[in-house]
Amino acid sequence: MIANRALSVGGSTFDGRTRHGARRGGESGRGGDVGTAVRGPGGEGGRGHTEAEEGTAGPSASTATSDPEAARRRAERRAERVTAGATELEQRLADLLRTGLAGAEQAGYGLWEETAARMVDAQAPGLASRVRELGTIPSSGQGWPVRLLEECALLHLLDRGWLGRGRLPDGLAATVRSRVGLPTSADGPPVRDHWLVLAQYDTADARLTTRRVWLYGAESDRTALLLSYGAAGRAPELTLPVGTALDAEISAYPGAGQRRAALGRRFAPPEPARKRPPGVTTSQAAVRYGEALRDDPWLDSVPVVLERVVPVPDGTGWQLADADGDTALPLAGAGGNRSGLWRLVALAGGAPVTVFGECGHRGFTPLTAWPAGPGPAVPLC
């Protein structure tokens, strides 16, 4: 039975509901992975699948100034406001724990929205976004107190990271600034490669449509995330067909474990990819996610290519089981995108396939698959 094959990593079961190893966090890829994505609101893209990638809010940092001293003073003033906001948020979290989590259910969403507005006033949009998410947890169903306490702990960790950022390693300090919502720019050196387009999908809210494009460098063995943005109801401008390869340069954003990058010069139009990305086993994917949390404890998932896995039902959900082993990864959200799930099941037909997706504390979200034999990439999202 596959039901008993969910991975256990770091002492806790990886069942798509609990987190293994450290806490939720970052993506780590193959050695030397680049940062991620195309210009947009600062920070890395998306909370998990989410967001994989959890992202920080904030305006783009690509704007320059002709007065460095004035820019320095503005940055100092903003840092002071963010510090005041983080200090106030710490007090509110302490009040919540002192009075008990039951009070959060009784207070309703309004309490959290007020706190989020205070974080916006403090110019910390990343904190505001996380506070709003806290407000949705009490109505999220059975087990909500555990999830609320978990998210409060992560928010407390981010607060303390900001307040003690001067004592952090440079890479982790950059990650904290990005998660809080300070604008960043892609200042890494350009990396030219033939970038395989692994996946592309959109998420939307009332104000913004965010497009995520995952790339894999065939020569550099790096994974990168491009982000593009459009107004609500409008598709973002960047479009790269899945299954193609792009001869281009990308530049990394700062931050430990960052995969976000900005797309730079293109040397040729996209063309059909002639190769597939290398993959790992389900157990290696879980370990990769756990290791990535050391660099960015707030990231929901990491990009992973799974080789020789078979989609199999598991009670009310599905898993991707290793064809040559005895481990499996649960699919996030009991299968997530149902049409994509059925495409994956039909493509496999009971045989092993290669699947790219995002592996995190909620499970594995499949985004693209390749058949066992020759054949093009099949988008699942």
Side-chain angles (χ1 to χ4, degrees):
M1 294 291 291
I2 300 300
N4 295 323
R5 298 173 69 179
L7 289 173
S8 177
V9 180
S12 58
T13 303
F14 185 15
D15 61 359
R17 295 181 298 276
T18 56
R19 297 174 181 169
H20 60 276
R23 304 311 279 167
R24 177 178 58 189
E27 347 161 357
S28 104
R30 307 181 175 288
D33 280 356
V34 145
T36 32
V38 153
R39 280 192 296 283
E44 184 166 3
R47 287 182 66 82
H49 183 75
T50 23
E51 311 271 311
E53 323 110 208
E54 144 122 333
T56 50
S60 171
S62 59
T63 56
T65 176
S66 58
D67 188 346
E69 180 60 23
R72 183 189 64 81
R73 290 195 299 268
R74 285 195 297 272
E76 288 179 351
R77 288 195 296 269
R78 179 168 187 173
E80 290 172 358
R81 286 191 286 268
V82 172
T83 296
T87 302
E88 178 183 347
L89 183 54
E90 280 291 275
Q91 184 59 53
R92 297 205 174 196
L93 291 174
D95 291 344
L96 172 65
L97 298 181
R98 184 169 51 251
T99 58
L101 297 182
E105 185 176 30
Q106 298 166 0
Y109 187 77
L111 172 65
W112 302 105
E113 184 58 38
E114 177 190 352
T115 305
R118 298 280 291 175
M119 296 305 102
V120 172
D121 291 342
Q123 294 188 290
L127 295 181
S129 175
R130 289 181 171 272
V131 169
R132 290 192 179 97
E133 289 191 17
L134 291 182
T136 66
I137 294 176
S139 60
S140 63
Q142 185 178 3
W144 70 264
V146 174
R147 292 191 293 275
L148 180 60
L149 186 60
E150 190 175 53
E151 293 299 327
C152 285
L154 285 169
L155 188 51
H156 167 70
L157 181 64
L158 183 55
D159 273 346
R160 300 311 302 177
W162 172 262
L163 296 174
R165 62 194 181 280
R167 301 187 298 273
L168 298 178
D170 290 345
L172 184 55
T175 297
V176 168
R177 288 193 293 271
S178 175
R179 293 295 177 202
V180 164
L182 296 189
T184 58
S185 60
D187 55 6
V191 177
R192 182 177 178 179
D193 205 335
H194 284 84
W195 298 97
L196 310 183
V197 182
L198 299 180
Q200 175 179 290
Y201 67 95
D202 295 349
T203 57
D205 57 27
R207 297 175 299 173
L208 195 67
T209 299
T210 302
R211 174 164 294 165
R212 292 172 172 83
V213 181
W214 283 109
L215 305 177
Y216 172 76
E219 299 172 12
S220 61
D221 193 27
R222 299 175 176 181
T223 307
L225 173 66
L226 305 180
L227 299 181
S228 185
Y229 299 88
R234 298 182 59 183
E237 181 177 350
L238 178 67
T239 298
L240 295 175
V242 173
T244 61
L246 181 67
D247 183 6
E249 292 178 340
I250 66 171
S251 298
Y253 279 75
Q258 273 272 19
R259 296 178 190 280
R260 186 182 174 193
L263 181 61
R265 182 182 176 188
R266 307 189 201 189
F267 300 93
E271 59 183 19
R274 298 186 179 90
K275 63 183 298 185
R276 297 178 183 179
V280 299
T281 65
T282 55
S283 57
Q284 290 170 331
V287 169
R288 179 174 296 180
Y289 172 59
E291 291 175 344
L293 299 178
R294 294 177 303 187
D295 290 331
D296 183 353
W298 303 279
L299 193 62
D300 276 342
S301 61
V302 295
V304 172
V305 177
L306 298 177
E307 274 188 336
R308 291 187 55 77
V309 291
V310 181
V312 292
D314 173 33
T316 60
W318 286 76
Q319 293 184 338
L320 290 177
D322 271 318
D324 305 315
D326 59 356
T327 58
L329 286 176
L331 294 187
N337 180 343
R338 304 304 290 187
S339 62
L341 171 62
W342 301 135
R343 284 198 297 272
L344 174 60
V345 172
L347 178 69
V353 291
T354 299
V355 183
F356 169 75
E358 296 168 349
C359 179
H361 66 94
R362 296 184 178 94
F364 186 88
T365 301
L367 301 175
T368 304
W370 293 262
V378 177
L380 305 176
C381 55

